[in-house]
Short mmCIF file of all heavy atoms in Angstrom, two decimals:
data_model
loop_
_atom_site.label_atom_id
_atom_site.label_comp_id
_atom_site.label_asym_id
_atom_site.label_seq_id
_atom_site.Cartn_x
_atom_site.Cartn_y
_atom_site.Cartn_z
N GLN A 207 105.90 123.49 88.64
CA GLN A 207 106.16 122.52 87.62
C GLN A 207 107.02 121.39 88.19
O GLN A 207 106.73 120.23 87.94
CB GLN A 207 106.87 123.20 86.46
CG GLN A 207 106.38 122.74 85.14
CD GLN A 207 106.91 123.62 84.02
OE1 GLN A 207 107.36 124.73 84.22
NE2 GLN A 207 106.84 123.10 82.84
N GLU A 208 108.06 121.75 88.93
CA GLU A 208 108.93 120.73 89.51
C GLU A 208 108.15 119.85 90.48
O GLU A 208 108.33 118.64 90.52
CB GLU A 208 110.11 121.40 90.24
CG GLU A 208 111.06 122.08 89.30
CD GLU A 208 112.11 122.91 90.02
OE1 GLU A 208 112.24 122.79 91.26
OE2 GLU A 208 112.80 123.67 89.34
N TYR A 209 107.29 120.47 91.27
CA TYR A 209 106.47 119.74 92.24
C TYR A 209 105.62 118.69 91.51
O TYR A 209 105.59 117.54 91.89
CB TYR A 209 105.58 120.72 93.00
CG TYR A 209 104.70 120.06 94.06
CD1 TYR A 209 105.11 120.02 95.38
CD2 TYR A 209 103.47 119.50 93.74
CE1 TYR A 209 104.33 119.43 96.35
CE2 TYR A 209 102.68 118.89 94.70
CZ TYR A 209 103.11 118.86 96.00
OH TYR A 209 102.33 118.27 96.95
N SER A 210 104.92 119.11 90.47
CA SER A 210 104.02 118.20 89.78
C SER A 210 104.78 117.12 89.02
O SER A 210 104.35 115.97 88.97
CB SER A 210 103.08 118.97 88.85
OG SER A 210 103.79 119.66 87.86
N GLN A 211 105.93 117.46 88.44
CA GLN A 211 106.73 116.47 87.73
C GLN A 211 107.28 115.43 88.69
O GLN A 211 107.26 114.23 88.39
CB GLN A 211 107.87 117.14 86.97
CG GLN A 211 107.42 117.86 85.73
CD GLN A 211 108.56 118.57 85.03
OE1 GLN A 211 109.51 119.04 85.66
NE2 GLN A 211 108.45 118.68 83.72
N ALA A 212 107.76 115.85 89.85
CA ALA A 212 108.33 114.92 90.82
C ALA A 212 107.28 113.94 91.34
O ALA A 212 107.60 112.81 91.67
CB ALA A 212 108.94 115.70 92.00
N ARG A 213 106.04 114.37 91.39
CA ARG A 213 104.96 113.53 91.90
C ARG A 213 104.15 112.87 90.80
O ARG A 213 103.15 112.24 91.06
CB ARG A 213 104.06 114.35 92.83
CG ARG A 213 104.76 114.59 94.16
CD ARG A 213 104.31 115.86 94.83
NE ARG A 213 105.10 116.11 96.03
CZ ARG A 213 106.28 116.69 96.05
NH1 ARG A 213 106.85 117.06 94.94
NH2 ARG A 213 106.93 116.91 97.18
N LYS A 214 104.59 113.08 89.54
CA LYS A 214 103.94 112.48 88.38
C LYS A 214 102.43 112.75 88.35
O LYS A 214 101.62 111.85 88.15
CB LYS A 214 104.23 110.98 88.32
CG LYS A 214 105.70 110.65 88.19
CD LYS A 214 105.95 109.20 88.00
CE LYS A 214 107.37 108.77 87.96
NZ LYS A 214 108.44 109.64 87.80
N ILE A 215 102.07 114.01 88.58
CA ILE A 215 100.66 114.39 88.57
C ILE A 215 100.34 115.30 87.39
O ILE A 215 99.32 115.96 87.36
CB ILE A 215 100.22 115.04 89.90
CG1 ILE A 215 101.11 116.23 90.26
CG2 ILE A 215 100.20 114.03 91.02
CD1 ILE A 215 100.69 116.98 91.52
N GLY A 216 101.21 115.34 86.39
CA GLY A 216 100.98 116.15 85.21
C GLY A 216 101.56 117.54 85.34
O GLY A 216 102.00 117.94 86.41
N LEU A 217 101.56 118.23 84.23
CA LEU A 217 102.09 119.58 84.21
C LEU A 217 100.99 120.59 84.46
O LEU A 217 99.85 120.39 84.02
CB LEU A 217 102.73 119.87 82.85
CG LEU A 217 104.01 119.12 82.54
CD1 LEU A 217 104.47 119.42 81.12
CD2 LEU A 217 105.11 119.49 83.52
N PRO A 218 101.31 121.67 85.13
CA PRO A 218 100.30 122.70 85.36
C PRO A 218 99.98 123.42 84.05
O PRO A 218 100.83 123.57 83.18
CB PRO A 218 100.96 123.64 86.36
CG PRO A 218 102.42 123.41 86.20
CD PRO A 218 102.58 122.00 85.76
N ALA A 219 98.74 123.84 83.93
CA ALA A 219 98.31 124.64 82.77
C ALA A 219 97.92 126.02 83.28
O ALA A 219 97.25 126.14 84.31
CB ALA A 219 97.12 123.97 82.09
N TYR A 220 98.35 127.03 82.56
CA TYR A 220 98.07 128.41 82.95
C TYR A 220 97.13 129.04 81.92
O TYR A 220 97.29 128.84 80.72
CB TYR A 220 99.36 129.23 83.02
CG TYR A 220 100.28 128.74 84.10
CD1 TYR A 220 101.23 127.76 83.85
CD2 TYR A 220 100.20 129.24 85.40
CE1 TYR A 220 102.07 127.30 84.85
CE2 TYR A 220 101.03 128.78 86.40
CZ TYR A 220 101.96 127.81 86.12
OH TYR A 220 102.79 127.35 87.11
N LYS A 221 96.14 129.79 82.40
CA LYS A 221 95.19 130.43 81.51
C LYS A 221 94.97 131.86 81.98
O LYS A 221 94.68 132.10 83.17
CB LYS A 221 93.85 129.68 81.55
CG LYS A 221 92.79 130.28 80.66
CD LYS A 221 91.50 129.49 80.74
CE LYS A 221 90.44 130.12 79.88
NZ LYS A 221 89.15 129.45 80.02
N THR A 222 95.11 132.80 81.06
CA THR A 222 94.84 134.20 81.39
C THR A 222 93.33 134.38 81.46
O THR A 222 92.62 134.13 80.50
CB THR A 222 95.45 135.14 80.33
OG1 THR A 222 96.86 134.91 80.27
CG2 THR A 222 95.19 136.60 80.69
N ILE A 223 92.85 134.78 82.62
CA ILE A 223 91.43 134.96 82.86
C ILE A 223 90.99 136.36 82.46
O ILE A 223 89.95 136.54 81.82
CB ILE A 223 91.07 134.71 84.35
CG1 ILE A 223 91.50 133.31 84.78
CG2 ILE A 223 89.59 134.95 84.61
CD1 ILE A 223 90.87 132.18 84.01
N SER A 224 91.78 137.37 82.83
CA SER A 224 91.41 138.74 82.49
C SER A 224 92.62 139.65 82.43
O SER A 224 93.67 139.37 83.01
CB SER A 224 90.40 139.30 83.50
OG SER A 224 90.99 139.43 84.77
N GLU A 225 92.44 140.72 81.67
CA GLU A 225 93.41 141.81 81.57
C GLU A 225 92.59 143.07 81.82
O GLU A 225 91.70 143.38 81.05
CB GLU A 225 94.05 141.87 80.19
CG GLU A 225 94.83 140.64 79.81
CD GLU A 225 95.41 140.73 78.41
OE1 GLU A 225 95.62 141.86 77.90
OE2 GLU A 225 95.67 139.67 77.83
N ILE A 226 92.91 143.76 82.90
CA ILE A 226 92.12 144.93 83.29
C ILE A 226 93.01 146.17 83.28
O ILE A 226 94.15 146.11 83.75
CB ILE A 226 91.51 144.73 84.69
CG1 ILE A 226 90.62 143.49 84.70
CG2 ILE A 226 90.73 145.96 85.13
CD1 ILE A 226 90.20 143.03 86.07
N GLY A 227 92.48 147.25 82.78
CA GLY A 227 93.18 148.52 82.82
C GLY A 227 93.77 148.92 81.49
O GLY A 227 93.80 148.15 80.54
N PRO A 228 94.27 150.16 81.43
CA PRO A 228 94.89 150.67 80.20
C PRO A 228 96.23 149.97 79.95
O PRO A 228 96.82 149.38 80.86
CB PRO A 228 95.08 152.16 80.48
CG PRO A 228 95.13 152.26 81.97
CD PRO A 228 94.25 151.16 82.50
N ASP A 229 96.69 150.02 78.71
CA ASP A 229 97.93 149.33 78.33
C ASP A 229 99.12 149.65 79.23
O ASP A 229 99.92 148.78 79.53
CB ASP A 229 98.30 149.65 76.87
CG ASP A 229 97.40 148.93 75.88
OD1 ASP A 229 96.76 147.94 76.28
OD2 ASP A 229 97.35 149.36 74.72
N HIS A 230 99.23 150.89 79.67
CA HIS A 230 100.39 151.28 80.47
C HIS A 230 100.25 150.85 81.94
O HIS A 230 101.20 150.96 82.71
CB HIS A 230 100.62 152.79 80.38
CG HIS A 230 99.53 153.60 81.03
ND1 HIS A 230 98.36 153.89 80.38
CD2 HIS A 230 99.44 154.15 82.26
CE1 HIS A 230 97.60 154.61 81.19
NE2 HIS A 230 98.23 154.78 82.33
N SER A 231 99.09 150.33 82.33
CA SER A 231 98.88 149.97 83.73
C SER A 231 97.90 148.79 83.84
O SER A 231 96.91 148.86 84.56
CB SER A 231 98.34 151.18 84.50
OG SER A 231 98.18 150.86 85.86
N LYS A 232 98.19 147.71 83.13
CA LYS A 232 97.31 146.55 83.14
C LYS A 232 97.51 145.72 84.40
O LYS A 232 98.58 145.71 85.00
CB LYS A 232 97.58 145.65 81.94
CG LYS A 232 96.91 146.09 80.67
CD LYS A 232 96.81 144.94 79.72
CE LYS A 232 96.31 145.34 78.37
NZ LYS A 232 94.92 145.77 78.35
N GLU A 233 96.46 145.01 84.77
CA GLU A 233 96.57 143.98 85.80
C GLU A 233 96.02 142.70 85.20
O GLU A 233 94.95 142.69 84.60
CB GLU A 233 95.80 144.32 87.07
CG GLU A 233 95.98 143.23 88.11
CD GLU A 233 95.44 143.58 89.48
OE1 GLU A 233 94.62 144.50 89.58
OE2 GLU A 233 95.84 142.92 90.44
N PHE A 234 96.79 141.62 85.34
CA PHE A 234 96.43 140.33 84.77
C PHE A 234 95.95 139.39 85.87
O PHE A 234 96.47 139.41 86.99
CB PHE A 234 97.64 139.71 84.07
CG PHE A 234 98.09 140.49 82.88
CD1 PHE A 234 99.02 141.51 83.00
CD2 PHE A 234 97.60 140.21 81.61
CE1 PHE A 234 99.45 142.25 81.91
CE2 PHE A 234 98.01 140.93 80.50
CZ PHE A 234 98.94 141.95 80.66
N GLU A 235 94.99 138.55 85.51
CA GLU A 235 94.52 137.47 86.38
C GLU A 235 94.78 136.17 85.63
O GLU A 235 94.34 136.00 84.50
CB GLU A 235 93.04 137.63 86.67
CG GLU A 235 92.47 136.51 87.53
CD GLU A 235 90.97 136.64 87.77
OE1 GLU A 235 90.32 137.46 87.08
OE2 GLU A 235 90.47 135.92 88.63
N VAL A 236 95.53 135.26 86.26
CA VAL A 236 95.89 133.99 85.65
C VAL A 236 95.47 132.85 86.58
O VAL A 236 95.67 132.93 87.79
CB VAL A 236 97.42 133.93 85.38
CG1 VAL A 236 97.84 132.55 84.90
CG2 VAL A 236 97.82 134.98 84.35
N ALA A 237 94.88 131.82 85.98
CA ALA A 237 94.49 130.62 86.73
C ALA A 237 95.49 129.51 86.41
O ALA A 237 95.95 129.38 85.28
CB ALA A 237 93.09 130.18 86.35
N VAL A 238 95.80 128.69 87.42
CA VAL A 238 96.65 127.52 87.21
C VAL A 238 95.82 126.28 87.54
O VAL A 238 95.09 126.24 88.53
CB VAL A 238 97.95 127.58 88.06
CG1 VAL A 238 97.67 127.63 89.54
CG2 VAL A 238 98.86 126.40 87.73
N SER A 239 95.93 125.28 86.65
CA SER A 239 95.17 124.04 86.80
C SER A 239 96.09 122.84 86.69
O SER A 239 97.11 122.89 86.02
CB SER A 239 94.10 123.94 85.70
OG SER A 239 93.24 125.03 85.73
N LEU A 240 95.69 121.77 87.34
CA LEU A 240 96.35 120.46 87.21
C LEU A 240 95.26 119.45 86.89
O LEU A 240 94.23 119.42 87.57
CB LEU A 240 97.02 120.06 88.53
CG LEU A 240 98.48 120.35 88.70
CD1 LEU A 240 98.95 119.89 90.07
CD2 LEU A 240 99.34 119.75 87.62
N SER A 241 95.46 118.68 85.85
CA SER A 241 94.47 117.67 85.44
C SER A 241 93.08 118.29 85.28
O SER A 241 92.09 117.75 85.76
CB SER A 241 94.43 116.52 86.43
OG SER A 241 95.69 115.93 86.57
N ASN A 242 93.02 119.44 84.65
CA ASN A 242 91.76 120.16 84.40
C ASN A 242 91.05 120.63 85.65
O ASN A 242 89.87 120.96 85.61
CB ASN A 242 90.81 119.34 83.53
CG ASN A 242 91.34 119.16 82.13
OD1 ASN A 242 91.94 120.07 81.57
ND2 ASN A 242 91.13 118.00 81.56
N ASN A 243 91.72 120.65 86.80
CA ASN A 243 91.15 121.17 88.04
C ASN A 243 91.88 122.46 88.41
O ASN A 243 93.08 122.44 88.67
CB ASN A 243 91.31 120.16 89.19
CG ASN A 243 90.51 118.90 88.96
OD1 ASN A 243 89.35 118.95 88.57
ND2 ASN A 243 91.14 117.76 89.19
N GLU A 244 91.12 123.55 88.45
CA GLU A 244 91.74 124.82 88.82
C GLU A 244 92.14 124.79 90.28
O GLU A 244 91.34 124.44 91.14
CB GLU A 244 90.77 125.98 88.57
CG GLU A 244 91.41 127.32 88.82
CD GLU A 244 90.49 128.50 88.52
OE1 GLU A 244 89.90 128.53 87.43
OE2 GLU A 244 90.38 129.37 89.40
N LEU A 245 93.39 125.14 90.53
CA LEU A 245 93.91 125.16 91.90
C LEU A 245 93.92 126.55 92.50
O LEU A 245 93.63 126.72 93.68
CB LEU A 245 95.34 124.60 91.92
CG LEU A 245 95.50 123.13 91.59
CD1 LEU A 245 96.98 122.78 91.54
CD2 LEU A 245 94.79 122.27 92.60
N ALA A 246 94.32 127.53 91.70
CA ALA A 246 94.48 128.88 92.26
C ALA A 246 94.51 129.90 91.14
O ALA A 246 94.70 129.57 89.98
CB ALA A 246 95.78 128.95 93.06
N ARG A 247 94.34 131.16 91.57
CA ARG A 247 94.47 132.30 90.65
C ARG A 247 95.46 133.29 91.23
O ARG A 247 95.55 133.42 92.45
CB ARG A 247 93.12 132.98 90.43
CG ARG A 247 92.17 132.12 89.64
CD ARG A 247 90.91 132.85 89.28
NE ARG A 247 90.02 131.97 88.55
CZ ARG A 247 88.99 132.38 87.84
NH1 ARG A 247 88.69 133.66 87.78
NH2 ARG A 247 88.24 131.52 87.19
N GLY A 248 96.17 133.94 90.36
CA GLY A 248 97.13 134.95 90.79
C GLY A 248 96.95 136.22 89.99
O GLY A 248 96.37 136.21 88.90
N TYR A 249 97.44 137.31 90.55
CA TYR A 249 97.30 138.62 89.94
C TYR A 249 98.66 139.29 89.85
O TYR A 249 99.52 139.06 90.71
CB TYR A 249 96.36 139.50 90.78
CG TYR A 249 95.00 138.87 90.96
CD1 TYR A 249 94.76 138.00 92.01
CD2 TYR A 249 93.98 139.13 90.06
CE1 TYR A 249 93.52 137.40 92.17
CE2 TYR A 249 92.74 138.53 90.20
CZ TYR A 249 92.51 137.67 91.26
OH TYR A 249 91.29 137.07 91.40
N GLY A 250 98.85 140.09 88.81
CA GLY A 250 100.11 140.80 88.68
C GLY A 250 100.08 141.80 87.55
O GLY A 250 99.14 141.83 86.75
N LYS A 251 101.13 142.60 87.46
CA LYS A 251 101.23 143.63 86.43
C LYS A 251 101.69 143.06 85.09
O LYS A 251 101.61 143.73 84.08
CB LYS A 251 102.15 144.74 86.90
CG LYS A 251 101.65 145.43 88.16
CD LYS A 251 101.83 146.92 88.07
CE LYS A 251 101.26 147.60 89.29
NZ LYS A 251 99.86 147.92 89.13
N THR A 252 102.18 141.81 85.11
CA THR A 252 102.52 141.09 83.88
C THR A 252 101.93 139.70 83.97
O THR A 252 101.60 139.22 85.07
CB THR A 252 104.05 140.97 83.70
OG1 THR A 252 104.57 140.15 84.75
CG2 THR A 252 104.74 142.33 83.69
N LYS A 253 101.82 139.04 82.81
CA LYS A 253 101.30 137.66 82.82
C LYS A 253 102.24 136.76 83.62
O LYS A 253 101.79 135.88 84.35
CB LYS A 253 101.14 137.13 81.40
CG LYS A 253 99.98 137.75 80.67
CD LYS A 253 99.84 137.17 79.27
CE LYS A 253 98.73 137.87 78.51
NZ LYS A 253 98.59 137.33 77.15
N LYS A 254 103.53 136.99 83.49
CA LYS A 254 104.51 136.18 84.21
C LYS A 254 104.34 136.35 85.72
O LYS A 254 104.33 135.37 86.47
CB LYS A 254 105.93 136.57 83.79
CG LYS A 254 107.00 135.76 84.49
CD LYS A 254 108.39 136.16 84.02
CE LYS A 254 109.44 135.35 84.75
NZ LYS A 254 110.79 135.68 84.30
N GLU A 255 104.19 137.58 86.16
CA GLU A 255 104.01 137.87 87.59
C GLU A 255 102.73 137.21 88.11
O GLU A 255 102.72 136.61 89.18
CB GLU A 255 103.96 139.38 87.79
CG GLU A 255 104.00 139.85 89.22
CD GLU A 255 103.99 141.37 89.29
OE1 GLU A 255 105.01 141.97 88.92
OE2 GLU A 255 102.96 141.94 89.72
N ALA A 256 101.66 137.29 87.33
CA ALA A 256 100.38 136.69 87.73
C ALA A 256 100.49 135.16 87.76
O ALA A 256 99.97 134.51 88.67
CB ALA A 256 99.28 137.13 86.78
N SER A 257 101.20 134.60 86.79
CA SER A 257 101.40 133.14 86.74
C SER A 257 102.21 132.66 87.94
O SER A 257 101.90 131.63 88.54
CB SER A 257 102.11 132.74 85.44
OG SER A 257 101.32 133.03 84.33
N GLN A 258 103.24 133.41 88.29
CA GLN A 258 104.06 133.04 89.44
C GLN A 258 103.26 133.13 90.73
O GLN A 258 103.39 132.26 91.61
CB GLN A 258 105.30 133.93 89.52
CG GLN A 258 106.31 133.63 88.43
CD GLN A 258 107.46 134.60 88.41
OE1 GLN A 258 107.36 135.74 88.86
NE2 GLN A 258 108.58 134.16 87.85
N ALA A 259 102.40 134.15 90.85
CA ALA A 259 101.56 134.28 92.05
C ALA A 259 100.58 133.10 92.14
O ALA A 259 100.37 132.54 93.22
CB ALA A 259 100.81 135.60 92.02
N ALA A 260 100.01 132.71 91.00
CA ALA A 260 99.08 131.58 90.98
C ALA A 260 99.82 130.29 91.35
O ALA A 260 99.31 129.47 92.12
CB ALA A 260 98.43 131.45 89.61
N ALA A 261 101.03 130.12 90.83
CA ALA A 261 101.81 128.92 91.11
C ALA A 261 102.16 128.82 92.59
O ALA A 261 102.09 127.73 93.18
CB ALA A 261 103.10 128.92 90.27
N LYS A 262 102.51 129.94 93.21
CA LYS A 262 102.83 129.93 94.64
C LYS A 262 101.62 129.52 95.47
O LYS A 262 101.73 128.72 96.40
CB LYS A 262 103.34 131.31 95.09
CG LYS A 262 104.73 131.61 94.63
CD LYS A 262 105.17 133.00 95.05
CE LYS A 262 106.53 133.33 94.48
NZ LYS A 262 106.97 134.68 94.82
N LYS A 263 100.45 130.07 95.12
CA LYS A 263 99.23 129.70 95.84
C LYS A 263 98.90 128.23 95.64
O LYS A 263 98.50 127.54 96.58
CB LYS A 263 98.05 130.57 95.36
CG LYS A 263 98.12 132.00 95.80
CD LYS A 263 96.92 132.78 95.27
CE LYS A 263 97.00 134.24 95.60
NZ LYS A 263 95.86 134.98 95.02
N ALA A 264 99.06 127.75 94.40
CA ALA A 264 98.78 126.35 94.10
C ALA A 264 99.70 125.43 94.90
O ALA A 264 99.27 124.40 95.42
CB ALA A 264 98.92 126.08 92.61
N LEU A 265 100.96 125.80 95.01
CA LEU A 265 101.93 125.00 95.76
C LEU A 265 101.53 124.90 97.23
O LEU A 265 101.59 123.83 97.83
CB LEU A 265 103.33 125.58 95.61
CG LEU A 265 104.47 124.75 96.15
CD1 LEU A 265 104.49 123.36 95.53
CD2 LEU A 265 105.79 125.45 95.90
N ILE A 266 101.08 126.00 97.79
CA ILE A 266 100.62 126.00 99.19
C ILE A 266 99.42 125.06 99.34
O ILE A 266 99.36 124.27 100.28
CB ILE A 266 100.26 127.44 99.64
CG1 ILE A 266 101.54 128.27 99.75
CG2 ILE A 266 99.48 127.43 100.95
CD1 ILE A 266 101.30 129.77 99.88
N ILE A 267 98.49 125.13 98.41
CA ILE A 267 97.31 124.27 98.45
C ILE A 267 97.71 122.80 98.33
O ILE A 267 97.22 121.95 99.08
CB ILE A 267 96.31 124.67 97.35
CG1 ILE A 267 95.70 126.04 97.68
CG2 ILE A 267 95.23 123.62 97.15
CD1 ILE A 267 94.98 126.69 96.54
N LEU A 268 98.60 122.49 97.39
CA LEU A 268 99.04 121.10 97.21
C LEU A 268 99.75 120.57 98.45
O LEU A 268 99.53 119.44 98.87
CB LEU A 268 99.95 120.99 95.98
CG LEU A 268 99.27 121.17 94.63
CD1 LEU A 268 100.31 121.29 93.53
CD2 LEU A 268 98.32 120.02 94.34
N GLU A 269 100.61 121.40 99.04
CA GLU A 269 101.32 120.98 100.26
C GLU A 269 100.33 120.76 101.41
O GLU A 269 100.45 119.79 102.15
CB GLU A 269 102.36 122.04 100.65
CG GLU A 269 103.60 122.00 99.81
CD GLU A 269 104.42 120.74 100.01
OE1 GLU A 269 104.48 120.22 101.14
OE2 GLU A 269 105.02 120.28 99.02
N ARG A 270 99.36 121.65 101.54
CA ARG A 270 98.36 121.53 102.60
C ARG A 270 97.55 120.24 102.41
O ARG A 270 97.32 119.51 103.37
CB ARG A 270 97.44 122.74 102.58
CG ARG A 270 96.53 122.82 103.79
CD ARG A 270 95.65 124.06 103.77
NE ARG A 270 96.43 125.29 103.69
CZ ARG A 270 96.08 126.36 102.99
NH1 ARG A 270 94.97 126.38 102.29
NH2 ARG A 270 96.85 127.42 102.98
N ASN A 271 97.16 119.96 101.17
CA ASN A 271 96.39 118.74 100.89
C ASN A 271 97.22 117.49 101.15
O ASN A 271 96.71 116.51 101.67
CB ASN A 271 95.88 118.75 99.45
CG ASN A 271 94.74 119.73 99.25
OD1 ASN A 271 94.12 120.20 100.20
ND2 ASN A 271 94.48 120.06 98.00
N LYS A 272 98.50 117.55 100.79
CA LYS A 272 99.39 116.41 101.02
C LYS A 272 99.50 116.12 102.52
O LYS A 272 99.39 114.99 102.96
CB LYS A 272 100.78 116.69 100.44
CG LYS A 272 101.75 115.54 100.63
CD LYS A 272 103.12 115.89 100.12
CE LYS A 272 103.80 116.76 101.16
NZ LYS A 272 105.22 116.96 100.95
N ASN A 273 99.68 117.18 103.30
CA ASN A 273 99.80 117.01 104.75
C ASN A 273 98.50 116.53 105.38
O ASN A 273 98.51 115.76 106.33
CB ASN A 273 100.27 118.33 105.40
CG ASN A 273 101.70 118.67 105.02
OD1 ASN A 273 102.48 117.80 104.68
ND2 ASN A 273 102.02 119.94 105.04
N THR A 274 97.38 116.98 104.86
CA THR A 274 96.08 116.54 105.37
C THR A 274 95.87 115.06 105.11
O THR A 274 95.41 114.33 105.96
CB THR A 274 94.93 117.35 104.70
OG1 THR A 274 95.15 118.72 104.96
CG2 THR A 274 93.59 116.95 105.21
N HIS A 275 96.26 114.60 103.90
CA HIS A 275 96.09 113.19 103.58
C HIS A 275 97.02 112.29 104.40
O HIS A 275 96.65 111.19 104.74
CB HIS A 275 96.33 112.96 102.08
CG HIS A 275 95.25 113.55 101.22
ND1 HIS A 275 93.95 113.12 101.26
CD2 HIS A 275 95.29 114.55 100.31
CE1 HIS A 275 93.23 113.82 100.41
NE2 HIS A 275 94.02 114.71 99.82
N HIS A 276 98.22 112.77 104.72
CA HIS A 276 99.15 111.99 105.53
C HIS A 276 98.69 111.89 106.98
O HIS A 276 99.01 110.94 107.67
CB HIS A 276 100.56 112.58 105.48
CG HIS A 276 101.25 112.33 104.17
ND1 HIS A 276 101.22 111.13 103.52
CD2 HIS A 276 102.02 113.15 103.39
CE1 HIS A 276 101.90 111.20 102.40
NE2 HIS A 276 102.40 112.42 102.30
N ALA A 277 97.95 112.87 107.43
CA ALA A 277 97.51 112.90 108.84
C ALA A 277 96.39 111.91 109.10
O ALA A 277 96.15 111.53 110.22
CB ALA A 277 97.04 114.31 109.19
N LYS A 278 95.72 111.46 108.05
CA LYS A 278 94.58 110.53 108.23
C LYS A 278 95.04 109.11 108.47
O LYS A 278 96.05 108.66 108.14
CB LYS A 278 93.67 110.58 106.99
CG LYS A 278 92.95 111.90 106.91
CD LYS A 278 92.03 111.91 105.70
CE LYS A 278 91.33 113.26 105.61
NZ LYS A 278 90.46 113.34 104.49
#
């Protein structure tokens, strides 16, 4: 969120894609998007954990893309 706000590229949106398993042992899949473009998906035992995993992956992708564009 801080990354996207600092660069004025909008706020990330999180969407729960799936919940798998019994109530006592669920695994969640969450997608994170910016400007309606899905960047990454994360998995975890809670929605928060899955969202954080997706956010970390998205940040890596955004940083990689930023560095690629600067290299050109």
Side-chain angles (χ1 to χ4, degrees):
Q207 221 169 342
E208 292 172 11
Y209 181 96
S210 61
Q211 285 177 328
R213 286 152 185 83
K214 299 186 185 345
I215 55 176
L217 291 175
Y220 295 89
K221 180 180 178 185
T222 302
I223 303 300
S224 66
E225 299 178 24
I226 301 168
D229 285 342
H230 67 277
S231 182
K232 278 201 187 292
E233 182 171 18
F234 294 89
E235 178 182 12
V236 173
V238 60
S239 302
L240 264 179
S241 303
N242 293 323
N243 294 315
E244 185 178 310
L245 293 175
R247 290 187 181 196
Y249 303 88
K251 299 222 177 271
T252 65
K253 287 181 184 180
K254 181 178 179 179
E255 189 178 290
S257 296
Q258 289 174 336
K262 286 178 185 178
K263 289 179 184 178
L265 189 56
I266 290 167
I267 291 166
L268 290 169
E269 284 293 325
R270 190 178 303 142
N271 287 344
K272 181 183 79 168
N273 292 336
T274 302
H275 291 296
H276 287 317
K278 290 181 181 180

